[in-house]
Amino acid sequence: MGRAADLARKVGAVLVATFLIAAPANAACIDPNNIRAEYGSMPFTQTRHLNGITRPLISRGQATIAAQRVDWHVTTPVNALTTITPSGITQSIDGGTPQRVNGGGGDALLGSAGLFDMLVGNFDALQQHYTITQRPARANGDWNIRLTPRAAGMARALTHIDVAGCERVAEVEVQQANGDRMEINLGPISR
Amino acid sequence: MRGWGAILCAIWCIVACAVIGVRTQNGNAFDTDIQSLLPQNALEPLIRAAIRDAGDVASRRVTLLVSGEDPMRVDEAATDLQRALGEVGFSTDAAGGEGIGRWLYANRNALMCATDPSRFDTQATLNQAQAMLYNPVAPISGDMLVRDPFLLTLQLSQCLAPASGRAGDAVLISGALDASAFRLDVQDKVVSAFNAWRGRWPDMQVARAGAVFFAEDGAKQARNEIGLIGGVSGIAILALLFVCFRRPQAIVGTLAVTAAGAAGSLAAALLVFPSVHVLVFVFGSALIGVTSDYALHYLATGPQTNWAPAAERVKRVSRPLAVCALATALGFASLGAFGVEIFNQVAVFSVAGILTAWWFTVTLLPLMDLRARNGDKLRAWWDMLEKPFLAYRWQAWHGAVAGLLVLSIVGLGVVRFGVLDDVRQFQPRSEALAAEEERVREAVGFSSSPSFLLSYGADAQEARQREEAALAAWPDAAARDVLAVSRFDPSAARRAENEAVLRRELYEPHLTARAEELGVAAPNPFEVVEAPELPPLIANLEGQANNAHYLVAPLGPVAAEQGQAGENALIVDPAARYSQAFASFRGLAGWAVGAAFLVCMLIVLTLYRTWRALVVLAAPAAGVLLGLAVPAALGVPLSFFSVAALFVVIGTGIDHSVFLFEAAETDGQAKELVVFLAALTTILSMGMMGLSGTYPVASFGIVVAAGVTAAYLISFVPIRFRGREARADN
């Protein structure tokens, strides 16, 4: 298999993989089975609700998805660029030299089954690590898919991930076992 | 009397076989560690212990990089490989990483990324904490922010913990073995598991780094060499026996003597040493050529005496055999004087083998070589073979040509003389494995030097303070290029200092604002938690020796360039230390060669009680001269191993002279053919060692082969010049 084809497959899967099993949710929305890979840049809002912390941690910025690479650039309230590639994760603060970020010690959102594997798209990985189920469509007609960890070890940290959208993934909600929750809202993509 | 000797010898042979059978059931019986070649008593005990510890920790490390076209299959293959290796005693760093994480959390207010508290950068710490807070992959939780609002644990894990995870298109698997990589059973298990995995995932590419793979490759090479040297020696000896004796008893008898020698040597080595290095067998395989000589000398008395009664035949060879065995055994025993573990083993192995073979020859072999039915025919055949040797007459021009040849060789040797003490050039490394290791280095950006920082003191606290002082004096880039105990578990003084700085510059001015920003009602950053055990990765880097506590800190290439370390701290480059040691031992060994000659001189004078007997030393002296000159002329540099080989040249070289001298002085029986056979078998087996891919073995073999050849040829000279004297049986 060529590398380009592999990359295209990977990038597309976010968003694709989740829905291959699901039936079309709404005639107005695209059939998730037919979602195609899309590269480009999109605004995001990330909100973390942490137990014991009264204020949600809200950050905004621009996510750029390219072949084998995601740049997660937080612009508010800090200027920090996190770059995720197969070779690892780096972080640059205020345009400084990127520093390698070590693995997160068992956090369910890192590694091959993590959130960003999903964003760069790896259908096989998602199927291997998660049970994928279709949930009732939302009021606005968006499809809604739930990923539940298969492995007991992962389930101890991660309860489930809900992914929703119409023409592509627009919302991701990660529910952790300790009650912490993270929501990511993705804006329109621009190339 | 000889009957009891035969019974006791048989019992010893049976016991030896039993010892071998029992000991080889233990996977620890054989050793392949290159460090066993090194002269241990050349180093201070503290440095020696530190080198041992550093080497042990480093040698257990294994890193594999799995890659392929399909990332999903790569993940599956990597998981399978991790599982397969886990079953044979491999633990991944990921497992250890959790332990390090717990340790860093419990000690977060006593540790710092900065190597000196005075270099603590408050603003950088705040910026890093803020960036991590909004990093989508940072594993933070509300509970963590209450106890660690500035995310110091995560910051410490970035600057202190080793890297892991994916690398390039590949999955990186790194970790450590739970037993020495130099144990043959460990190598076999690991490599078998790896090869089985390769069979299951033929489409995966994998690059390996780790001493276990190099050691297994080296052991395989040693096994092949043993097979080659032993096989060729054995075939050559069997062919010679068949041509000369033409009867199966001679072949069986010679094989029995060499087998008894081999069993006695291995059993003694296994009884004395907890594990025997495989290279001992390569050195020891030369014994086949030596011990078979004893059988040859006895068997030759058959055709020479027309199979006289055994007692008479034994009497003819008992004294020269005893002199030969004693001189050769002493030559090999001298190897034990150097404090090199492997030479101690060779000494025990060889002395036991020689004495067992001698014992077997004078007690059991006579029972096996009974009178031949066609004795007259065989005697005539023997005489015919010996005739050309006896017909040969030494002419003056032969001496002139030989002298010219010797002078030429010595002259060329002087011109091309060189030495090699650098241990890094001793062990040939598999090019394929070296290429794989390089791919691992390139992919993960990992690079480590063999050097380490050794810090020591009266106790653990003082040792830590020395290490902290050394690292604080280095530039940041160098100080962070070190895996140091004190970075994870500082001295009590440094802990207090770190905590004071954090309180004064981070918590007191910024905690309230941070808590408000986060919405944390009651931050509790100094909650006391039960301290976990120091992770093994770090705990293995300290030890005690010579009433001192020491710390070993492996250095990366940047840190290794630091020349100074400070008081009670030094940068140790094990290879350089051992190279220096080998150089000094080479010089000492030269003097020891002279001492060995003196010992032989005393033995000869004591046994023969005539000054004339000293002519038997002429041949080994010539052997020593040419043993040094021939390799030098061939461009093979001189090393400690070359000089050590001279002891064997002295020991075996004296044999030929002794038999010829005995023949001339006593029984009058011609010894030319049997001495030729003995020399030829010895030269063949020893010379084969020169083909070894391992420099110590090759240089040892070349010197022995050249030296013994020269000694054999020269052994005739004194007698030829002096002429045969009246013989006892004439």
Side-chain angles (χ1 to χ4, degrees), chain B residues 123-145:
Chain B
Q123 193 54 49
T125 305
L126 289 170
N127 290 346
Q128 183 75 12
Q130 196 71 346
M132 282 183 161
L133 198 59
Y134 297 104
N135 184 325
V137 295
I140 59 173
S141 68
D143 198 44
M144 178 190 290
L145 285 172

mmCIF file with all atom_site columns, all heavy atoms in Angstrom, chain B residues 123-145:
data_model
loop_
_atom_site.group_PDB
_atom_site.id
_atom_site.type_symbol
_atom_site.label_atom_id
_atom_site.label_alt_id
_atom_site.label_comp_id
_atom_site.label_asym_id
_atom_site.label_entity_id
_atom_site.label_seq_id
_atom_site.pdbx_PDB_ins_code
_atom_site.Cartn_x
_atom_site.Cartn_y
_atom_site.Cartn_z
_atom_site.occupancy
_atom_site.B_iso_or_equiv
_atom_site.pdbx_formal_charge
_atom_site.auth_seq_id
_atom_site.auth_comp_id
_atom_site.auth_asym_id
_atom_site.auth_atom_id
_atom_site.pdbx_PDB_model_num
ATOM 1   N N   . GLN B 1 123 ? 9.074  32.106 35.651 1.00 0.00 ? 123 GLN B N   1
ATOM 2   C CA  . GLN B 1 123 ? 8.176  32.453 34.548 1.00 0.00 ? 123 GLN B CA  1
ATOM 3   C C   . GLN B 1 123 ? 8.036  31.285 33.574 1.00 0.00 ? 123 GLN B C   1
ATOM 4   O O   . GLN B 1 123 ? 6.946  30.982 33.087 1.00 0.00 ? 123 GLN B O   1
ATOM 5   C CB  . GLN B 1 123 ? 8.712  33.694 33.817 1.00 0.00 ? 123 GLN B CB  1
ATOM 6   C CG  . GLN B 1 123 ? 7.691  34.323 32.858 1.00 0.00 ? 123 GLN B CG  1
ATOM 7   C CD  . GLN B 1 123 ? 6.360  34.652 33.549 1.00 0.00 ? 123 GLN B CD  1
ATOM 8   O OE1 . GLN B 1 123 ? 6.336  35.280 34.620 1.00 0.00 ? 123 GLN B OE1 1
ATOM 9   N NE2 . GLN B 1 123 ? 5.249  34.187 32.984 1.00 0.00 ? 123 GLN B NE2 1
ATOM 10  N N   . ALA B 1 124 ? 9.155  30.617 33.301 1.00 0.00 ? 124 ALA B N   1
ATOM 11  C CA  . ALA B 1 124 ? 9.095  29.466 32.390 1.00 0.00 ? 124 ALA B CA  1
ATOM 12  C C   . ALA B 1 124 ? 8.223  28.366 32.974 1.00 0.00 ? 124 ALA B C   1
ATOM 13  O O   . ALA B 1 124 ? 7.451  27.710 32.257 1.00 0.00 ? 124 ALA B O   1
ATOM 14  C CB  . ALA B 1 124 ? 10.499 28.937 32.133 1.00 0.00 ? 124 ALA B CB  1
ATOM 15  N N   . THR B 1 125 ? 8.292  28.184 34.270 1.00 0.00 ? 125 THR B N   1
ATOM 16  C CA  . THR B 1 125 ? 7.474  27.157 34.924 1.00 0.00 ? 125 THR B CA  1
ATOM 17  C C   . THR B 1 125 ? 5.986  27.520 34.833 1.00 0.00 ? 125 THR B C   1
ATOM 18  O O   . THR B 1 125 ? 5.145  26.657 34.566 1.00 0.00 ? 125 THR B O   1
ATOM 19  C CB  . THR B 1 125 ? 7.894  27.005 36.401 1.00 0.00 ? 125 THR B CB  1
ATOM 20  O OG1 . THR B 1 125 ? 9.299  26.738 36.443 1.00 0.00 ? 125 THR B OG1 1
ATOM 21  C CG2 . THR B 1 125 ? 7.150  25.888 37.092 1.00 0.00 ? 125 THR B CG2 1
ATOM 22  N N   . LEU B 1 126 ? 5.689  28.811 35.033 1.00 0.00 ? 126 LEU B N   1
ATOM 23  C CA  . LEU B 1 126 ? 4.292  29.241 34.934 1.00 0.00 ? 126 LEU B CA  1
ATOM 24  C C   . LEU B 1 126 ? 3.777  29.078 33.507 1.00 0.00 ? 126 LEU B C   1
ATOM 25  O O   . LEU B 1 126 ? 2.655  28.611 33.287 1.00 0.00 ? 126 LEU B O   1
ATOM 26  C CB  . LEU B 1 126 ? 4.187  30.723 35.366 1.00 0.00 ? 126 LEU B CB  1
ATOM 27  C CG  . LEU B 1 126 ? 4.381  30.988 36.864 1.00 0.00 ? 126 LEU B CG  1
ATOM 28  C CD1 . LEU B 1 126 ? 4.504  32.490 37.126 1.00 0.00 ? 126 LEU B CD1 1
ATOM 29  C CD2 . LEU B 1 126 ? 3.217  30.406 37.661 1.00 0.00 ? 126 LEU B CD2 1
ATOM 30  N N   . ASN B 1 127 ? 4.600  29.471 32.528 1.00 0.00 ? 127 ASN B N   1
ATOM 31  C CA  . ASN B 1 127 ? 4.183  29.350 31.132 1.00 0.00 ? 127 ASN B CA  1
ATOM 32  C C   . ASN B 1 127 ? 3.923  27.898 30.759 1.00 0.00 ? 127 ASN B C   1
ATOM 33  O O   . ASN B 1 127 ? 2.949  27.562 30.085 1.00 0.00 ? 127 ASN B O   1
ATOM 34  C CB  . ASN B 1 127 ? 5.260  29.918 30.199 1.00 0.00 ? 127 ASN B CB  1
ATOM 35  C CG  . ASN B 1 127 ? 5.361  31.432 30.298 1.00 0.00 ? 127 ASN B CG  1
ATOM 36  O OD1 . ASN B 1 127 ? 4.463  32.087 30.854 1.00 0.00 ? 127 ASN B OD1 1
ATOM 37  N ND2 . ASN B 1 127 ? 6.442  31.998 29.794 1.00 0.00 ? 127 ASN B ND2 1
ATOM 38  N N   . GLN B 1 128 ? 4.815  27.048 31.205 1.00 0.00 ? 128 GLN B N   1
ATOM 39  C CA  . GLN B 1 128 ? 4.697  25.622 30.896 1.00 0.00 ? 128 GLN B CA  1
ATOM 40  C C   . GLN B 1 128 ? 3.428  25.057 31.529 1.00 0.00 ? 128 GLN B C   1
ATOM 41  O O   . GLN B 1 128 ? 2.705  24.265 30.914 1.00 0.00 ? 128 GLN B O   1
ATOM 42  C CB  . GLN B 1 128 ? 5.949  24.885 31.421 1.00 0.00 ? 128 GLN B CB  1
ATOM 43  C CG  . GLN B 1 128 ? 6.005  23.412 31.107 1.00 0.00 ? 128 GLN B CG  1
ATOM 44  C CD  . GLN B 1 128 ? 6.359  23.149 29.650 1.00 0.00 ? 128 GLN B CD  1
ATOM 45  O OE1 . GLN B 1 128 ? 6.771  24.061 28.937 1.00 0.00 ? 128 GLN B OE1 1
ATOM 46  N NE2 . GLN B 1 128 ? 6.166  21.930 29.208 1.00 0.00 ? 128 GLN B NE2 1
ATOM 47  N N   . ALA B 1 129 ? 3.160  25.472 32.762 1.00 0.00 ? 129 ALA B N   1
ATOM 48  C CA  . ALA B 1 129 ? 1.964  24.987 33.462 1.00 0.00 ? 129 ALA B CA  1
ATOM 49  C C   . ALA B 1 129 ? 0.706  25.420 32.719 1.00 0.00 ? 129 ALA B C   1
ATOM 50  O O   . ALA B 1 129 ? -0.253 24.647 32.574 1.00 0.00 ? 129 ALA B O   1
ATOM 51  C CB  . ALA B 1 129 ? 1.952  25.525 34.888 1.00 0.00 ? 129 ALA B CB  1
ATOM 52  N N   . GLN B 1 130 ? 0.718  26.660 32.230 1.00 0.00 ? 130 GLN B N   1
ATOM 53  C CA  . GLN B 1 130 ? -0.457 27.182 31.524 1.00 0.00 ? 130 GLN B CA  1
ATOM 54  C C   . GLN B 1 130 ? -0.655 26.442 30.193 1.00 0.00 ? 130 GLN B C   1
ATOM 55  O O   . GLN B 1 130 ? -1.770 26.088 29.824 1.00 0.00 ? 130 GLN B O   1
ATOM 56  C CB  . GLN B 1 130 ? -0.245 28.693 31.287 1.00 0.00 ? 130 GLN B CB  1
ATOM 57  C CG  . GLN B 1 130 ? -1.500 29.445 30.929 1.00 0.00 ? 130 GLN B CG  1
ATOM 58  C CD  . GLN B 1 130 ? -2.458 29.570 32.117 1.00 0.00 ? 130 GLN B CD  1
ATOM 59  O OE1 . GLN B 1 130 ? -2.321 28.888 33.128 1.00 0.00 ? 130 GLN B OE1 1
ATOM 60  N NE2 . GLN B 1 130 ? -3.439 30.450 31.986 1.00 0.00 ? 130 GLN B NE2 1
ATOM 61  N N   . ALA B 1 131 ? 0.439  26.222 29.491 1.00 0.00 ? 131 ALA B N   1
ATOM 62  C CA  . ALA B 1 131 ? 0.339  25.531 28.197 1.00 0.00 ? 131 ALA B CA  1
ATOM 63  C C   . ALA B 1 131 ? -0.171 24.112 28.386 1.00 0.00 ? 131 ALA B C   1
ATOM 64  O O   . ALA B 1 131 ? -1.002 23.621 27.611 1.00 0.00 ? 131 ALA B O   1
ATOM 65  C CB  . ALA B 1 131 ? 1.700  25.518 27.517 1.00 0.00 ? 131 ALA B CB  1
ATOM 66  N N   . MET B 1 132 ? 0.288  23.457 29.437 1.00 0.00 ? 132 MET B N   1
ATOM 67  C CA  . MET B 1 132 ? -0.149 22.075 29.681 1.00 0.00 ? 132 MET B CA  1
ATOM 68  C C   . MET B 1 132 ? -1.622 22.012 30.042 1.00 0.00 ? 132 MET B C   1
ATOM 69  O O   . MET B 1 132 ? -2.317 21.052 29.726 1.00 0.00 ? 132 MET B O   1
ATOM 70  C CB  . MET B 1 132 ? 0.680  21.454 30.799 1.00 0.00 ? 132 MET B CB  1
ATOM 71  C CG  . MET B 1 132 ? 2.056  21.025 30.319 1.00 0.00 ? 132 MET B CG  1
ATOM 72  S SD  . MET B 1 132 ? 2.963  20.216 31.611 1.00 0.00 ? 132 MET B SD  1
ATOM 73  C CE  . MET B 1 132 ? 4.192  19.368 30.638 1.00 0.00 ? 132 MET B CE  1
ATOM 74  N N   . LEU B 1 133 ? -2.077 23.057 30.701 1.00 0.00 ? 133 LEU B N   1
ATOM 75  C CA  . LEU B 1 133 ? -3.472 23.092 31.128 1.00 0.00 ? 133 LEU B CA  1
ATOM 76  C C   . LEU B 1 133 ? -4.410 22.993 29.924 1.00 0.00 ? 133 LEU B C   1
ATOM 77  O O   . LEU B 1 133 ? -5.478 22.402 30.003 1.00 0.00 ? 133 LEU B O   1
ATOM 78  C CB  . LEU B 1 133 ? -3.709 24.414 31.877 1.00 0.00 ? 133 LEU B CB  1
ATOM 79  C CG  . LEU B 1 133 ? -4.920 24.531 32.770 1.00 0.00 ? 133 LEU B CG  1
ATOM 80  C CD1 . LEU B 1 133 ? -4.878 23.478 33.855 1.00 0.00 ? 133 LEU B CD1 1
ATOM 81  C CD2 . LEU B 1 133 ? -4.970 25.931 33.381 1.00 0.00 ? 133 LEU B CD2 1
ATOM 82  N N   . TYR B 1 134 ? -4.005 23.600 28.820 1.00 0.00 ? 134 TYR B N   1
ATOM 83  C CA  . TYR B 1 134 ? -4.882 23.629 27.641 1.00 0.00 ? 134 TYR B CA  1
ATOM 84  C C   . TYR B 1 134 ? -4.404 22.685 26.546 1.00 0.00 ? 134 TYR B C   1
ATOM 85  O O   . TYR B 1 134 ? -4.920 22.704 25.450 1.00 0.00 ? 134 TYR B O   1
ATOM 86  C CB  . TYR B 1 134 ? -4.982 25.072 27.128 1.00 0.00 ? 134 TYR B CB  1
ATOM 87  C CG  . TYR B 1 134 ? -5.614 25.981 28.163 1.00 0.00 ? 134 TYR B CG  1
ATOM 88  C CD1 . TYR B 1 134 ? -4.840 26.857 28.916 1.00 0.00 ? 134 TYR B CD1 1
ATOM 89  C CD2 . TYR B 1 134 ? -6.987 25.911 28.411 1.00 0.00 ? 134 TYR B CD2 1
ATOM 90  C CE1 . TYR B 1 134 ? -5.419 27.662 29.886 1.00 0.00 ? 134 TYR B CE1 1
ATOM 91  C CE2 . TYR B 1 134 ? -7.572 26.702 29.379 1.00 0.00 ? 134 TYR B CE2 1
ATOM 92  C CZ  . TYR B 1 134 ? -6.777 27.582 30.115 1.00 0.00 ? 134 TYR B CZ  1
ATOM 93  O OH  . TYR B 1 134 ? -7.365 28.356 31.080 1.00 0.00 ? 134 TYR B OH  1
ATOM 94  N N   . ASN B 1 135 ? -3.413 21.925 26.860 1.00 0.00 ? 135 ASN B N   1
ATOM 95  C CA  . ASN B 1 135 ? -2.935 20.936 25.890 1.00 0.00 ? 135 ASN B CA  1
ATOM 96  C C   . ASN B 1 135 ? -3.950 19.793 25.844 1.00 0.00 ? 135 ASN B C   1
ATOM 97  O O   . ASN B 1 135 ? -4.260 19.195 26.867 1.00 0.00 ? 135 ASN B O   1
ATOM 98  C CB  . ASN B 1 135 ? -1.562 20.413 26.351 1.00 0.00 ? 135 ASN B CB  1
ATOM 99  C CG  . ASN B 1 135 ? -0.943 19.454 25.360 1.00 0.00 ? 135 ASN B CG  1
ATOM 100 O OD1 . ASN B 1 135 ? -1.652 18.696 24.714 1.00 0.00 ? 135 ASN B OD1 1
ATOM 101 N ND2 . ASN B 1 135 ? 0.352  19.493 25.243 1.00 0.00 ? 135 ASN B ND2 1
ATOM 102 N N   . PRO B 1 136 ? -4.484 19.498 24.677 1.00 0.00 ? 136 PRO B N   1
ATOM 103 C CA  . PRO B 1 136 ? -5.551 18.485 24.626 1.00 0.00 ? 136 PRO B CA  1
ATOM 104 C C   . PRO B 1 136 ? -5.083 17.081 24.986 1.00 0.00 ? 136 PRO B C   1
ATOM 105 O O   . PRO B 1 136 ? -5.897 16.222 25.284 1.00 0.00 ? 136 PRO B O   1
ATOM 106 C CB  . PRO B 1 136 ? -6.000 18.537 23.160 1.00 0.00 ? 136 PRO B CB  1
ATOM 107 C CG  . PRO B 1 136 ? -4.816 19.072 22.429 1.00 0.00 ? 136 PRO B CG  1
ATOM 108 C CD  . PRO B 1 136 ? -4.126 20.008 23.365 1.00 0.00 ? 136 PRO B CD  1
ATOM 109 N N   . VAL B 1 137 ? -3.780 16.858 24.953 1.00 0.00 ? 137 VAL B N   1
ATOM 110 C CA  . VAL B 1 137 ? -3.317 15.500 25.271 1.00 0.00 ? 137 VAL B CA  1
ATOM 111 C C   . VAL B 1 137 ? -2.656 15.424 26.643 1.00 0.00 ? 137 VAL B C   1
ATOM 112 O O   . VAL B 1 137 ? -2.170 14.366 27.029 1.00 0.00 ? 137 VAL B O   1
ATOM 113 C CB  . VAL B 1 137 ? -2.333 14.969 24.199 1.00 0.00 ? 137 VAL B CB  1
ATOM 114 C CG1 . VAL B 1 137 ? -3.036 14.801 22.868 1.00 0.00 ? 137 VAL B CG1 1
ATOM 115 C CG2 . VAL B 1 137 ? -1.118 15.867 24.074 1.00 0.00 ? 137 VAL B CG2 1
ATOM 116 N N   . ALA B 1 138 ? -2.631 16.519 27.371 1.00 0.00 ? 138 ALA B N   1
ATOM 117 C CA  . ALA B 1 138 ? -2.025 16.470 28.709 1.00 0.00 ? 138 ALA B CA  1
ATOM 118 C C   . ALA B 1 138 ? -2.958 15.708 29.642 1.00 0.00 ? 138 ALA B C   1
ATOM 119 O O   . ALA B 1 138 ? -4.145 16.019 29.718 1.00 0.00 ? 138 ALA B O   1
ATOM 120 C CB  . ALA B 1 138 ? -1.784 17.873 29.233 1.00 0.00 ? 138 ALA B CB  1
ATOM 121 N N   . PRO B 1 139 ? -2.441 14.708 30.337 1.00 0.00 ? 139 PRO B N   1
ATOM 122 C CA  . PRO B 1 139 ? -3.303 13.866 31.185 1.00 0.00 ? 139 PRO B CA  1
ATOM 123 C C   . PRO B 1 139 ? -3.602 14.537 32.523 1.00 0.00 ? 139 PRO B C   1
ATOM 124 O O   . PRO B 1 139 ? -3.142 14.088 33.573 1.00 0.00 ? 139 PRO B O   1
ATOM 125 C CB  . PRO B 1 139 ? -2.479 12.595 31.348 1.00 0.00 ? 139 PRO B CB  1
ATOM 126 C CG  . PRO B 1 139 ? -1.065 13.061 31.276 1.00 0.00 ? 139 PRO B CG  1
ATOM 127 C CD  . PRO B 1 139 ? -1.042 14.247 30.360 1.00 0.00 ? 139 PRO B CD  1
ATOM 128 N N   . ILE B 1 140 ? -4.339 15.609 32.486 1.00 0.00 ? 140 ILE B N   1
ATOM 129 C CA  . ILE B 1 140 ? -4.607 16.312 33.745 1.00 0.00 ? 140 ILE B CA  1
ATOM 130 C C   . ILE B 1 140 ? -5.993 15.945 34.264 1.00 0.00 ? 140 ILE B C   1
ATOM 131 O O   . ILE B 1 140 ? -6.849 15.479 33.514 1.00 0.00 ? 140 ILE B O   1
ATOM 132 C CB  . ILE B 1 140 ? -4.496 17.836 33.575 1.00 0.00 ? 140 ILE B CB  1
ATOM 133 C CG1 . ILE B 1 140 ? -5.484 18.325 32.509 1.00 0.00 ? 140 ILE B CG1 1
ATOM 134 C CG2 . ILE B 1 140 ? -3.081 18.244 33.212 1.00 0.00 ? 140 ILE B CG2 1
ATOM 135 C CD1 . ILE B 1 140 ? -5.541 19.828 32.414 1.00 0.00 ? 140 ILE B CD1 1
ATOM 136 N N   . SER B 1 141 ? -6.174 16.165 35.543 1.00 0.00 ? 141 SER B N   1
ATOM 137 C CA  . SER B 1 141 ? -7.475 15.917 36.160 1.00 0.00 ? 141 SER B CA  1
ATOM 138 C C   . SER B 1 141 ? -7.699 16.984 37.228 1.00 0.00 ? 141 SER B C   1
ATOM 139 O O   . SER B 1 141 ? -6.755 17.673 37.636 1.00 0.00 ? 141 SER B O   1
ATOM 140 C CB  . SER B 1 141 ? -7.507 14.526 36.796 1.00 0.00 ? 141 SER B CB  1
ATOM 141 O OG  . SER B 1 141 ? -6.631 14.495 37.909 1.00 0.00 ? 141 SER B OG  1
ATOM 142 N N   . GLY B 1 142 ? -8.950 17.088 37.658 1.00 0.00 ? 142 GLY B N   1
ATOM 143 C CA  . GLY B 1 142 ? -9.252 18.068 38.694 1.00 0.00 ? 142 GLY B CA  1
ATOM 144 C C   . GLY B 1 142 ? -8.506 17.765 39.971 1.00 0.00 ? 142 GLY B C   1
ATOM 145 O O   . GLY B 1 142 ? -7.963 18.661 40.639 1.00 0.00 ? 142 GLY B O   1
ATOM 146 N N   . ASP B 1 143 ? -8.472 16.502 40.296 1.00 0.00 ? 143 ASP B N   1
ATOM 147 C CA  . ASP B 1 143 ? -7.783 16.079 41.515 1.00 0.00 ? 143 ASP B CA  1
ATOM 148 C C   . ASP B 1 143 ? -6.301 16.477 41.458 1.00 0.00 ? 143 ASP B C   1
ATOM 149 O O   . ASP B 1 143 ? -5.724 16.931 42.444 1.00 0.00 ? 143 ASP B O   1
ATOM 150 C CB  . ASP B 1 143 ? -7.924 14.561 41.634 1.00 0.00 ? 143 ASP B CB  1
ATOM 151 C CG  . ASP B 1 143 ? -7.631 14.087 43.037 1.00 0.00 ? 143 ASP B CG  1
ATOM 152 O OD1 . ASP B 1 143 ? -8.105 14.732 43.980 1.00 0.00 ? 143 ASP B OD1 1
ATOM 153 O OD2 . ASP B 1 143 ? -6.893 13.080 43.168 1.00 0.00 ? 143 ASP B OD2 1
ATOM 154 N N   . MET B 1 144 ? -5.717 16.311 40.272 1.00 0.00 ? 144 MET B N   1
ATOM 155 C CA  . MET B 1 144 ? -4.301 16.650 40.111 1.00 0.00 ? 144 MET B CA  1
ATOM 156 C C   . MET B 1 144 ? -4.090 18.153 40.308 1.00 0.00 ? 144 MET B C   1
ATOM 157 O O   . MET B 1 144 ? -3.146 18.584 40.982 1.00 0.00 ? 144 MET B O   1
ATOM 158 C CB  . MET B 1 144 ? -3.831 16.241 38.708 1.00 0.00 ? 144 MET B CB  1
ATOM 159 C CG  . MET B 1 144 ? -2.382 16.584 38.420 1.00 0.00 ? 144 MET B CG  1
ATOM 160 S SD  . MET B 1 144 ? -1.982 16.341 36.680 1.00 0.00 ? 144 MET B SD  1
ATOM 161 C CE  . MET B 1 144 ? -2.036 14.573 36.569 1.00 0.00 ? 144 MET B CE  1
ATOM 162 N N   . LEU B 1 145 ? -4.988 18.958 39.763 1.00 0.00 ? 145 LEU B N   1
ATOM 163 C CA  . LEU B 1 145 ? -4.802 20.411 39.873 1.00 0.00 ? 145 LEU B CA  1
ATOM 164 C C   . LEU B 1 145 ? -4.951 20.898 41.314 1.00 0.00 ? 145 LEU B C   1
ATOM 165 O O   . LEU B 1 145 ? -4.340 21.886 41.698 1.00 0.00 ? 145 LEU B O   1
ATOM 166 C CB  . LEU B 1 145 ? -5.804 21.132 38.969 1.00 0.00 ? 145 LEU B CB  1
ATOM 167 C CG  . LEU B 1 145 ? -5.461 21.071 37.471 1.00 0.00 ? 145 LEU B CG  1
ATOM 168 C CD1 . LEU B 1 145 ? -6.594 21.621 36.632 1.00 0.00 ? 145 LEU B CD1 1
ATOM 169 C CD2 . LEU B 1 145 ? -4.183 21.865 37.200 1.00 0.00 ? 145 LEU B CD2 1
#
